[in-house]
Amino acid sequence: MNAQAPVIGTAPTTEAFAFPSLANGDHLDIEAIRQHVPVRRCKHAAGQGIYHAGQPFQALYLVHAGSYKTCELADDGREQVTGFRMRGSLIGTESIGLKNYSCDVIALEDSEAWELPYPAILRACLHLPELQTYLTSALAAEVRSNRSWMLSLGTLAAERRVAAFLLDVAARYAHLGYSAKHFILRMSRIDMASFLALKHETVSRALSRLDDLHFIAVERREVHMLDVDGLRAMAGTGAALN
Amino acid sequence: MNAQAPVIGTAPTTEAFAFPSLANGDHLDIEAIRQHVPVRRCKHAAGQGIYHAGQPFQALYLVHAGSYKTCELADDGREQVTGFRMRGSLIGTESIGLKNYSCDVIALEDSEAWELPYPAILRACLHLPELQTYLTSALAAEVRSNRSWMLSLGTLAAERRVAAFLLDVAARYAHLGYSAKHFILRMSRIDMASFLALKHETVSRALSRLDDLHFIAVERREVHMLDVDGLRAMAGTGAALN
DNA sequence: AACGGTTTGTAACAGTCTGTAACAGGATGG
DNA sequence: CCATCCTGTTACAGACTGTTACAAACCGTT
C-alpha cells in the first residue's frame, strides 16, 4: 500500500492497534465507539485530501495508517502547513462549531483514516462520558501543541527549529512504537519548510549542517539521529511536545 | 480602576455585559451558569498573573474587564506571548486534561476575571448541555485562531504582520462595541513583538512606516486606523480572525 | 532501459530583519 | 519639583534568511 520505504523499527502490526493510542496519552476504546457510531474506512492516495476548506463539516477522522498534513489557506493564495498527523490522531476537531471545514487535510502518502460522523459522535457522547472528556482533552492538547510550536517558531533560529522538528518527529514515532533513532520523513522539504516558517532551501541547509555537525545523518528523507542530547541542547530541551 | 486612558468610542457599560458575548460569536448566559457554579470575582493589577505554568489546574476564568496576555515558557528561559485576551474571553481551557496549568496568564492593565471552578463546570455541563457545546466550540475556535496566526506569521513579512495585528485588534474592539478606528493598544511593543515573532525595534519601525504611508496614525500606544482597506491589502484580506 | 517531471542539494547574491546604541518622551517615586 | 526608570523611536552595521539559478538524484511511466 505504501510506495515509500517502510518505517524502521519493531512496528506493531496494524491490527494490534484496533484500540489506537490517542493524543495526550489518553486511550480511547474504538470498539465502544463503534457501538454508537458508524465507522467508515477511507483510503487516500498520496496527495489526496480527506476534506478541504469550505466543504460541509460532517465528520471527524481518526488516522489509522499513513500520515496527513493540515493546511491553512488564505484568500490571496498564501498557504501554511499547520501540522502533521499520524496514526491515532483525531482530525477535524478544529472545525467543530462551524458549518464548513476551516482547513485542508491532505495525505502525504497512501493512507487510511476512519470516518466518524459528527452527529453520531454527539449522540454517543451522551452514552460514553469518556468520549466527551476525550474530545475536550484532545482539543486542549491541540491548543497546547500549537502554542508550543509558536514558542519554537518565535524564539528559535532556523537550524534550531529544524532540530526541534526532528526531535518532535522522533518522539512521535517512539510513541507509536517505531524507532526514534532512525526513520523516514513522510513530508517534502517544502512542507517541512512551510510548517517551520522557512524556505525549503533553508531547511536543506540546516539539515546539511546538522549532518556536518554529526548530530544526524540525513540522506533525502531518511534520518539517523546520532546525537539526541546535542539536538535537545540546540532546540532548548522541550522540543515542542506533540 | 484603569491607569491607562480609557478605550475610545461608545462603550457599553460594564453592567450591560452581565451576559458577555463569548468567542466564536456564541453567547453564554452567565446567570444560568451561576446557578451551578460558584463564581468569584478576581482583580489583577497590571503585571499580575491569573495563574502560572505549573500551578494546579483548578478553574477557568472569564475575562470581565481589562486585558491579559497568555505566555508560553521554555525550560531554558525563552518566552513567547501566544495571545491577548479581552472581555468575554474564556481563559484556561488549554490546560483541560492536565493536573497543572501549562502557561502563564498576565494582566496587561488593571483587570478583572471571573473564576469558574472546573469541577463545578463539569457538573454544570450535565445540567446545561449548551455549556458543554460552548466549551468545545470555544476550544475549536482557539485552535482555528492559533492556526490562522501561524498562517500570518509564516507567510507575511514584518510590516504586513503588524498590519494584520492591528486589523485583528480593531475587529476585536468593534466586536466589543468599541471604536475600530481609534483605540489604545494595551500591550507593550515587546509583547506585540513576541506575539508576532519579531523584535520590538522591528515593530516600532513597522508602525512608523505604516504611519509614513498614512495607513495609520500612531503615537505610542494610541492608534488611528486611517486606511483600513490599505491595511487589509497588506495583510492579505483575512487579517487573522480571532 | 530510457524518459520527463519532481524533489532535493548547492552556490552566489540580495534583502530583510536583527543587534547595538543613543536618544526622547512619559511615567514613577522620592 | 526633580531624578530616575521604563518604554518607545531611530540610525547604522551586520547576520541570517530569502532569492535565484543550476545540477543531480529520484520517481513513476513509457
Side-chain angles (χ1 to χ4, degrees):
Chain A
M1 168 177 178
N2 192 334
Q4 285 243 323
V7 171
I8 292 94
T10 42
T13 67
T14 291
E15 290 315 308
F17 271 69
F19 299 175
S21 74
L22 295 168
N24 201 23
D26 292 349
H27 286 245
L28 190 66
D29 188 338
I30 191 72
E31 289 307 326
I33 295 179
R34 262 192 224 278
Q35 296 179 354
H36 302 273
V37 178
V39 178
R40 193 165 67 91
R41 292 174 59 183
C42 299
K43 297 199 173 191
H44 302 96
Q48 192 184 354
I50 299 185
Y51 59 76
H52 296 275
Q55 290 178 349
F57 169 67
Q58 291 169 331
L60 303 181
Y61 295 85
L62 186 61
V63 180
H64 180 253
S67 44
Y68 298 84
K69 63 176 174 182
T70 55
C71 300
E72 204 76 5
L73 306 172
D75 308 342
D76 59 358
R78 282 173 298 126
E79 199 176 326
Q80 173 77 18
V81 174
T82 55
F84 300 103
R85 305 314 184 89
M86 303 170 61
R87 178 154 46 90
S89 182
L90 192 64
I91 289 182
T93 50
E94 80 287 331
S95 300
I96 289 176
L98 299 180
K99 288 187 177 167
N100 304 300
Y101 289 109
S102 67
C103 65
D104 287 27
V105 179
I106 296 168
L108 294 174
E109 57 190 312
D110 293 346
S111 305
E112 182 180 323
W114 292 346
E115 184 184 74
L116 311 173
Y118 189 63
I121 288 186
L122 278 185
R123 284 192 301 273
C125 282
L126 302 176
H127 300 90
L128 296 170
E130 323 99 69
L131 181 56
Q132 181 65 66
T133 302
Y134 169 72
L135 243 181
T136 313
S137 295
L139 269 163
E142 172 74 14
V143 171
R144 291 194 298 272
S145 169
N146 287 341
R147 290 195 188 170
S148 181
W149 277 110
M150 283 174 127
L151 169 63
S152 293
L153 302 184
T155 59
L156 296 179
E159 236 165 71
R160 292 167 188 259
R161 279 184 222 178
V162 173
F165 181 77
L166 292 175
L167 287 169
D168 181 63
V169 170
R172 293 167 72 177
Y173 275 128
H175 185 250
L176 290 178
Y178 300 116
S179 170
K181 301 269 182 160
H182 180 201
F183 50 81
I184 309 282
L185 295 169
R186 301 314 175 94
M187 72 294 295
S188 69
R189 294 286 188 270
I190 290 180
D191 286 335
M192 256 179 83
S194 172
F195 178 69
L196 296 174
L198 298 168
K199 296 298 164 185
H200 69 94
E201 294 91 335
T202 305
V203 172
S204 271
R205 274 189 294 230
L207 286 170
S208 298
R209 179 140 169 70
L210 291 177
D211 190 312
D212 292 345
L213 293 171
H214 301 295
F215 285 123
I216 63 173
V218 58
E219 198 182 322
R220 297 185 60 83
R221 297 195 183 184
E222 184 175 1
V223 176
H224 287 265
M225 306 286 275
L226 301 180
D227 183 356
V228 173
D229 290 335
L231 288 168
R232 287 214 179 98
M234 286 196 79
T237 70
L241 325 164
N242 209 353
Chain B
M1 169 177 177
N2 193 335
Q4 285 241 324
V7 171
I8 293 95
T10 42
T13 66
T14 291
E15 289 316 306
F17 270 70
F19 299 175
S21 74
L22 294 169
N24 200 22
D26 292 349
H27 286 244
L28 190 67
D29 188 338
I30 190 70
E31 288 308 326
I33 295 179
R34 262 191 225 278
Q35 295 179 356
H36 301 273
V37 179
V39 177
R40 194 165 66 91
R41 293 174 60 183
C42 299
K43 296 199 173 192
H44 303 96
Q48 192 183 353
I50 299 185
Y51 59 75
H52 296 276
Q55 292 179 347
F57 169 66
Q58 291 169 331
L60 303 181
Y61 294 86
L62 185 61
V63 179
H64 180 253
S67 44
Y68 298 85
K69 63 176 174 182
T70 55
C71 300
E72 206 76 5
L73 306 173
D75 307 342
D76 58 359
R78 282 174 299 126
E79 198 176 326
Q80 173 77 19
V81 174
T82 55
F84 299 102
R85 305 315 184 88
M86 302 168 61
R87 179 154 45 89
S89 183
L90 192 64
I91 289 182
T93 51
E94 80 287 330
S95 299
I96 289 176
L98 299 181
K99 288 186 179 168
N100 304 300
Y101 289 108
S102 67
C103 65
D104 286 28
V105 179
I106 296 168
L108 294 173
E109 56 190 312
D110 293 347
S111 305
E112 182 180 324
W114 292 347
E115 183 184 72
L116 312 173
Y118 189 62
I121 289 186
L122 279 185
R123 284 192 300 272
C125 282
L126 302 176
H127 301 91
L128 295 170
E130 323 99 69
L131 180 56
Q132 181 66 65
T133 302
Y134 169 72
L135 243 181
T136 313
S137 295
L139 269 163
E142 172 74 15
V143 171
R144 292 194 298 272
S145 170
N146 286 341
R147 290 196 188 170
S148 181
W149 276 112
M150 282 175 147
L151 170 63
S152 293
L153 301 185
T155 60
L156 296 179
E159 238 165 67
R160 292 167 187 258
R161 276 184 224 179
V162 173
F165 180 78
L166 292 175
L167 287 169
D168 181 62
V169 170
R172 293 167 72 176
Y173 275 128
H175 185 250
L176 290 177
Y178 300 117
S179 170
K181 302 268 182 162
H182 180 201
F183 50 81
I184 308 283
L185 295 169
R186 300 314 176 92
M187 71 292 297
S188 70
R189 294 288 188 271
I190 291 180
D191 287 336
M192 259 180 81
S194 171
F195 178 69
L196 295 174
L198 299 168
K199 297 298 162 187
H200 68 96
E201 296 92 334
T202 306
V203 172
S204 267
R205 286 184 281 248
L207 286 169
S208 298
R209 178 136 172 70
L210 291 177
D211 190 311
D212 293 344
L213 293 171
H214 301 296
F215 285 124
I216 63 172
V218 59
E219 198 183 322
R220 296 181 63 81
R221 297 195 182 183
E222 183 175 2
V223 176
H224 286 266
M225 306 288 273
L226 300 180
D227 182 356
V228 173
D229 290 336
L231 289 167
R232 287 214 178 98
M234 286 196 79
T237 71
L241 325 164
N242 211 353

